[in-house]
Amino acid sequence: MTSDTATTPVSVPRTGFPSIPWIELFKHAVLMVGALIVIAPFLVMVSTSFKSQNEIESQSGGFFGSQEQFVDHFCAANNPAEECVATPVIFNYSTAFTRVPLLRFLLNGVIVTVSIFVCQVIIALPCAYALSKLRWWGKNVVFGLVLFCLLIPIHAIAVPLYLLITKLGLLNTYASLIIPSTISVFGIFLMRQFFMTVPDDLIDAARMDGISEFGIVWRVMAPTAFPALLAFGIFSVVAHWNDYFWPRMVVTGNEMIYTPPLGMRVYQADLEGITYGPMMATATVIVIPLVIAFLLAQRRFIEGITLSGMK
Amino acid sequence: MANSGTQARAIPYLFSLPALLLILALLLLPMLISLGLSLTDYTLGAPDVEFVWFENFERIFTRSTYMKMLSATFWYVIIVVPGSIALGLGAALLINSLTVGKGFYRTVFFLPVMATLVAMAMVWEFMLHPTLGIVNEGLEGLCAVPGITAIGFFETGCADGFPHWLGERETALWVLCFIGIWQAVGFNMVLYMAGLTAIPRELYNAASVDGADSAWDRFRLVTWPMLGPTNVFVLTITAIRSFQAFDTVDMLTEGGPSKSTYVIMYAIFEKGVQQNLIGVGTAITVLFMAFVFLLTFLQRYLVERRVHYA
């Protein structure tokens, strides 16, 4: 594509025509095949969410479906047929929101992820500050403990935590979804590393101005650490929005506190005679918020999600 | 003044107290409880508990259910780890050497890392549907290609129909591995891209002075050794993540057919939570923890011993 510009390091033969960069084209071909496989489920998901059940079963209708109106038989059983005429895309998405309280699931997702992140920050920042900028007896022991706990994946302590939640009578509550994640040793570690790079002069100046230690944490250190906090926030929110393992353990009934991933289970339960259109519409609604956020701020997201690479 | 001095001395403790308490209550204590319960026959609601010592572990290493668990986990990890690392590294190398389109490919390959895995698992299940899915439809389309039935897979597939993927013991684990690789490639690719940019350009110039001209020589002599620390890190994190595979199993196979996809994390969930066999559940957990610690210590060891070049 750009092989005819002067800046590319492609050798230009005497004829004046640029040589075809075969190697570059070959690389693109290989990557394109890979990209197609990677992106295929996303395309299938969106495309299917546009189609009517007939088009899905006969694998016709192109990417967006023909959007031909059809009669919803489920509705027509109790209502006059003319009231039950629907356009596939509208039918799929409205069914996604009415068959299960999907909006409520999304709201729950927001409540849980935001609460977890806020708790993690409130608990991690003062500790990270103490570990990086204050001198006290026992500091190395605490930091050693933090480093050790970095090794413990939540999966490894899930059963005892589940017992704890059960014994406290917290099954099927927001608390059961939030409490186990309120402590992020990774957050402490990350913020401590970042605070180490903040010059002591800044803190001394704040002390001269009569700001309390508490004030220093929240009014001096926190704003300075904004980039690190943002990266950690993305890391935390993405991980908990997508988390399925822990909610699956502690939410057994009560649909009203389902998080979005649990919402997919409703469709798993009745795969026979399923309506794939609404199912794919639900999947699209759950996946799309993070994908859009990612497309808008790619660098930040990649930085945030690969944060665990800093251990 | 003395009072304010005492106050100042108390501040670091006050600041770390909430974190410390939560670390103890939510991380260390549960771990110890796991160790303790793994030696008992504890179940929720049972009136008394008995120490059975290593009976739970003995069971894990003798009963066929758990042997199937170990084998499914082993094969899952042994396929997903090299698969996603090789493809991640390959993608990173290819993308890094492009003149145009770097950002585009990086974005596309990273999408599965972001996407909610359970939702995407349902999409894969739909794509792999024996009659409605595009995978088998595509394969049937390939049957029209002359000579393709020379390949054993197509010979049987075109004659008797293609596999029911998730419904068959021979293919279900492969499908889960494929989805696992599909999701992990982008993550590994990004880590490798960061590792590649950290390699000083002078090293390539030096290598070419010494006669390393082909792309393979440059890779073998400069890129691969310089990626040492990245390799060790990617290997550990991918292995730990593969041991934790749960979402796709619970969503698509529930450990079946005939326990062929009964991976360790699903076993912990099924025994410890669904069947209320806390003793066995925690014993498997202890085994899992042992794997994770082993991997991490191996990583530390390798990082300190072998891979410091820069």
Side-chain angles (χ1 to χ4, degrees):
Chain A
M1 275 168 269
T2 55
S3 57
D4 53 354
T5 59
T7 48
T8 47
V10 174
S11 63
V12 179
R14 276 167 231 280
T15 52
F17 290 104
S19 71
I20 300 166
W22 289 111
I23 293 178
E24 177 96 358
L25 283 178
F26 178 70
K27 287 176 186 166
H28 276 289
V30 173
L31 285 167
M32 269 299 174
V33 172
L36 209 65
I37 295 171
V38 166
I39 214 166
F42 293 96
L43 298 179
V44 168
M45 174 178 79
V46 174
S47 171
T48 310
S49 79
F50 280 113
K51 291 186 181 183
S52 69
Q53 186 71 10
N54 278 340
E55 285 167 330
I56 295 168
E57 276 166 17
S58 62
Q59 292 161 329
S60 62
F63 186 82
F64 289 106
S66 60
Q67 297 307 332
E68 202 174 289
Q69 296 199 323
F70 69 102
V71 175
D72 174 10
H73 294 294
F74 189 68
C75 157
N78 303 311
N79 299 293
E82 56 269 26
E83 278 177 30
C84 295
V85 175
T87 309
V89 58
I90 296 172
F91 172 79
N92 289 341
Y93 280 89
S94 64
T95 309
F97 280 94
T98 51
R99 183 171 158 198
V100 295
L102 183 56
L103 207 59
R104 179 66 191 249
F105 298 169
L106 295 173
L107 181 72
N108 289 341
V110 173
I111 292 174
V112 169
T113 49
V114 171
S115 314
I116 287 175
F117 178 59
V118 169
C119 290
Q120 285 176 338
V121 170
I122 289 178
I123 286 160
L125 274 197
C127 183
Y129 173 69
L131 285 176
S132 58
K133 290 296 174 190
L134 300 176
R135 247 176 281 141
W136 45 292
W137 184 86
K139 176 167 145 176
N140 288 335
V141 178
V142 173
F143 188 56
L145 208 58
V146 168
L147 289 181
F148 174 73
C149 288
L150 277 175
L151 297 182
I152 308 174
I154 175 150
H155 296 74
I157 48 174
V159 174
L161 275 182
Y162 163 78
L163 287 179
L164 181 78
I165 295 288
T166 314
K167 291 277 180 199
L168 292 174
L170 291 175
L171 281 186
N172 296 311
T173 61
Y174 284 122
S176 67
L177 292 169
I178 295 165
I179 289 175
S181 305
T182 48
I183 179 76
S184 168
V185 277
F186 179 62
I188 298 176
F189 173 74
L190 185 75
M191 296 322 286
R192 183 250 182 200
Q193 299 304 86
F194 192 88
F195 285 166
M196 294 292 273
T197 65
V198 175
D200 287 334
D201 294 348
L202 190 73
I203 297 159
D204 289 335
R207 286 193 185 123
M208 296 284 196
D209 289 343
I211 302 179
S212 68
E213 293 295 309
F214 187 78
I216 290 176
V217 173
W218 297 109
R219 283 158 57 202
V220 180
M221 300 305 271
T224 334
F226 182 74
L229 272 177
L230 186 69
F232 177 61
I234 291 172
F235 169 81
S236 166
V237 166
V238 171
H240 292 112
W241 179 272
N242 290 337
D243 185 30
Y244 175 69
F245 181 70
W246 183 250
R248 177 85 172 88
M249 291 186 110
V250 293
V251 181
T252 48
N254 192 7
E255 228 178 50
M256 290 324 267
I257 65 155
Y258 269 26
T259 56
L262 284 177
M264 287 310 294
R265 279 193 65 72
V266 179
Y267 291 93
Q268 188 224 25
D270 53 12
L271 258 183
E272 295 312 315
I274 199 172
T275 41
Y276 280 105
M279 177 176 122
M280 291 298 151
T282 309
T284 309
V285 170
I286 291 170
V287 168
I288 232 70
L290 285 185
V291 168
I292 289 179
F294 165 63
L295 292 177
L296 290 177
Q298 285 188 49
R299 262 174 206 291
R300 293 267 183 215
F301 266 77
I302 291 177
E303 207 180 282
I305 292 169
T306 51
L307 261 190
S308 40
M310 290 186 53
K311 272 188 202 173
Chain B
M1 281 315 275
N3 189 23
S4 85
T6 322
Q7 259 182 8
R9 252 177 280 143
I11 277 173
Y13 299 98
L14 282 178
F15 278 7
S16 20
L17 193 65
L20 262 179
L21 287 178
L22 287 174
I23 285 176
L24 288 178
L26 298 176
L27 294 171
L28 294 179
L29 210 62
M31 212 173 72
L32 293 177
I33 293 175
S34 254
L35 284 173
L37 288 178
S38 70
L39 305 174
T40 69
D41 64 351
Y42 183 72
T43 51
L44 263 179
D48 47 21
V49 190
E50 237 174 273
F51 267 97
V52 297
W53 299 108
F54 293 99
E55 215 170 87
N56 292 324
F57 291 94
E58 202 186 303
R59 223 176 269 179
I60 293 175
F61 288 104
T62 51
R63 295 260 174 102
S64 75
T65 307
Y66 301 110
M67 295 313 280
K68 281 177 184 163
M69 170 191 87
L70 294 173
S71 127
T73 312
F74 173 79
W75 286 113
Y76 185 86
V77 173
I78 220 77
I79 293 166
V80 170
V81 170
S84 63
I85 289 181
L87 289 172
L89 176 61
L93 287 169
L94 277 179
I95 293 173
N96 226 35
S97 68
L98 289 179
T99 39
V100 285
K102 279 186 189 181
F104 168 76
Y105 292 115
R106 197 191 51 191
T107 308
V108 170
F109 285 108
F110 200 73
L111 272 180
V113 185
M114 296 286 314
T116 311
L117 186 56
V118 281
M120 299 318 290
M122 295 299 274
V123 182
W124 277 113
E125 182 173 38
F126 171 61
M127 289 169 73
L128 293 162
H129 192 285
T131 50
L132 301 179
I134 64 163
V135 172
N136 278 7
E137 189 203 0
L139 289 172
E140 276 154 27
L142 283 176
C143 286
V145 177
I148 201 156
T149 46
I151 306 167
F153 173 75
F154 281 97
E155 192 188 357
T156 48
C158 294
D160 313 326
F162 286 99
H164 286 204
W165 302 114
L166 287 163
E168 288 173 25
R169 202 177 48 188
E170 292 77 25
T171 47
L173 189 63
W174 286 101
V175 171
L176 296 188
C177 289
F178 175 82
I179 300 177
I181 294 174
W182 170 80
Q183 215 221 355
V185 165
F187 188 80
N188 291 345
M189 171 201 73
V190 168
L191 293 177
Y192 274 120
M193 283 174 92
L196 286 174
T197 42
I199 300 175
R201 292 233 61 83
E202 302 90 69
L203 286 178
Y204 289 102
N205 299 337
S208 90
V209 169
D210 288 344
D213 291 325
S214 71
W216 168 245
D217 280 342
R218 282 196 301 270
F219 177 76
R220 187 172 56 91
L221 295 168
V222 183
T223 315
W224 183 251
M226 287 304 289
L227 282 178
T230 315
N231 278 330
V232 172
F233 173 70
V234 171
L235 183 70
T236 332
I237 197 158
T238 315
I240 292 178
R241 283 167 162 239
S242 309
F243 271 117
Q244 293 171 352
F246 172 81
D247 298 13
T248 46
V249 183
D250 185 50
M251 215 58 181
L252 304 181
T253 65
E254 295 184 323
S258 43
K259 300 274 177 209
S260 61
T261 60
Y262 195 59
V263 296
I264 193 163
M265 204 48 66
Y266 187 75
I268 291 176
F269 169 71
E270 196 196 67
K271 294 294 165 194
V273 176
Q274 285 192 318
Q275 300 181 357
N276 193 12
L277 298 169
I278 308 281
V280 179
T282 44
I284 306 173
T285 302
V286 170
L287 201 65
F288 167 75
M289 262 192 289
F291 283 135
V292 171
F293 284 145
L294 193 75
L295 277 168
T296 316
F297 286 124
L298 200 68
Q299 176 199 20
R300 295 279 149 87
Y301 173 79
L302 284 175
V303 167
E304 264 148 43
R305 282 295 298 272
R306 278 183 357 98
V307 289
H308 272 300
Y309 292 94

